[in-house]
Amino acid sequence: MKRLALRTGVRWKISIAIAAVSALVAVALSLVVHNSARVSMLDNAREVQMERLLFAQRMYDSTKEAKFGTKVDDPALPRSLEQKMNQGRRATYVQEETNGVPDVWAAVPLSNGTVLSLHSKFADRSTTIMKDLNRSLIIGSVSVVFGGCALGVLVGGQLSRRLRKAAAAAGRVAQGNTDVRVGDAVGGVVRDETDELARAVDALTDALNERIEAERRVTADIAHELRTPVTGLLTAAELLPPGRPTELVRDRAQAMRTLVEDVLEVARLDSASERAELQEIALGEFVARRVALLNPDIEVQVVHDSWVNTDPRRLERILGNLLANAAKHGGTPVEVTVEGRVVRIRDHGPGFPEALLREGPSRFRTGATDRAGYGHGLGLTIAAGQSRVLGARLTFRNATPSGAPDSGASGVSGAIAVLWLPEHAPTNTGSFPLLHHLQD
């Protein structure tokens, strides 16, 4: 069963947490202040009530008349006061009423065994003061909660911005911009755990770069060392007498030489040291002539021609690899279309494997379960690397997504490689403006 996940930002999580803590603190303090004020005012009311009763007692001792609202042996006297009167003690008592306004009692035992008592409602002025106090406590509590929310938004927003900057910088690193430093992107004066995360990501990037560079050097060194013996092997094969075994040896020796040259080219592309030698060419005418030389059976359709500033040698290399991939792994007919700065190459075979569409070309991976399964997987890798040198963008997709109604028995109806040449040529440093607005 698929679990549903509720996604919220750090800013709002911190705001809610601070608001909740502020609300709890405000409620707790409000209850303490309310109870303390109420107890203090009731204690004061009891003292005042007892003073009145004592004054009335002195009048009663003189006149034998209960005055000022006092009563003798009041039948409504609370039981707790009766118990204390039986002990001969004077006392006060607060009797809670259903309407929320308590009665304040005071009672004293007399010498003749009777009880003189006085009770009255809690003073209206005191009730008003308590209401005003409660209102002030409510307003203060709400203000504290809103203040906590604002503080949470401020603190959480700062942390959220730093995390987004770190994530964006890490994303650029994942795209191959290894010069990007997450720590520099986060910046700021205040240091927190985000800076530790940035330092960890930068350290990981440096370690990966060192490992990739070491692997690239090893690959380049191995390919370079193999070039001499492979060339000698190919020369020796040329001296063998004619025959089928000689053809097989020459074919395998030539394949090995091609592999070594491809590995060296991939190593050079990975080093990011390649620079384009730019020329102004008519793209449609150039593609038509090169495709005719590579495969005369392929028809090129020029929808709209345009002049581009690019490296013809590298562009020819890209076209050759894409056409070779279509011939090896795709199906006829192969269609080449030029529209402005965009070149599309489509075959009618089983389509690109899902791993290539998801992750892009990878060396020594041919997608044997989806394609013909032979080759070294370097052709598309070299095409993608040469595209980066030109400042172009090379994308891959299948003509019909798997599972579509018209996808046929194989699930797809061909692979499409699209080369997007840039509007501006790459600079001397190899940087260039990428095209993000084009859609295939």
Side-chain angles (χ1 to χ4, degrees), residues 221-232:
D221 292 343
I222 292 175
H224 183 75
E225 293 299 326
L226 285 175
R227 174 185 282 179
T228 300
V230 168
T231 302

Side-chain angles (χ1 to χ4, degrees), residues 52-119:
R52 292 176 179 174
L53 180 60
L54 293 177
F55 180 75
Q57 181 186 10
R58 289 193 295 269
M59 296 296 295
Y60 180 81
D61 291 339
S62 302
T63 63
K64 303 301 181 182
E65 293 182 4
K67 296 182 178 181
F68 308 113
T70 58
K71 293 183 179 180
V72 178
D73 292 336
D74 189 349
L77 188 70
R79 182 176 299 276
S80 60
L81 285 180
E82 290 181 359
Q83 295 175 354
K84 292 182 178 180
M85 295 303 102
N86 293 333
Q87 298 174 2
R89 299 167 53 190
R90 60 187 183 185
T92 58
Y93 179 74
V94 177
Q95 186 177 24
E96 299 291 344
E97 299 292 340
T98 56
N99 58 5
V101 180
D103 278 350
V104 181
W105 286 82
V108 294
L110 299 177
S111 56
N112 57 5
T114 59
V115 175
L116 182 66
S117 63
L118 173 66
H119 75 93

Side-chain angles (χ1 to χ4, degrees), residues 35 39 69 80 110 116 142 194 197 204 229 261 263 343 372 386 409 413:
N35 291 332
V39 169
S80 60
L110 299 177
L116 182 66
V142 173
T194 308
L197 174 63
L204 176 61
E261 295 295 336
V263 171
V343 181
Q386 295 289 6
S413 61

Side-chain angles (χ1 to χ4, degrees), residues 281-296 298-306 308 310-312 314-320 322-323 334-345 390 417 419 421:
I281 63 172
L283 183 60
E285 179 185 353
F286 177 86
V287 172
R289 285 191 286 107
R290 292 300 185 270
V291 171
L293 292 175
L294 295 171
N295 192 337
I298 298 177
E299 181 180 355
V300 178
Q301 181 183 6
V302 181
V303 178
H304 172 64
D305 201 357
S306 64
V308 295
T310 188
D311 189 330
R314 298 183 188 277
L315 179 57
E316 183 176 2
R317 178 68 162 150
I318 296 171
L319 292 174
L322 294 179
L323 291 176
V334 177
E335 303 170 356
V336 179
T337 305
V338 179
E339 184 174 356
R341 300 175 179 272
V342 180
V343 181
R344 291 181 177 85
I345 298 177
L390 295 180
L419 178 65
L421 290 172

Side-chain angles (χ1 to χ4, degrees), residues 170-234:
R172 292 196 296 272
V173 172
Q175 293 173 359
N177 300 327
T178 55
D179 294 335
V180 175
R181 308 297 296 176
V182 179
D184 295 338
V186 172
V189 178
V190 179
R191 300 298 178 183
D192 54 22
E193 288 79 2
T194 308
D195 297 277
E196 298 178 6
L197 174 63
R199 286 194 294 271
V201 174
D202 289 338
L204 176 61
T205 302
D206 293 338
L208 289 176
N209 288 337
E210 292 176 0
R211 181 172 180 179
I212 292 172
E213 180 62 20
E215 292 179 354
R216 186 196 64 78
R217 287 196 300 268
V218 169
T219 302
D221 292 343
I222 292 175
H224 183 75
E225 293 299 326
L226 285 175
R227 174 185 282 179
T228 300
V230 168
T231 302
L233 179 62
L234 188 60

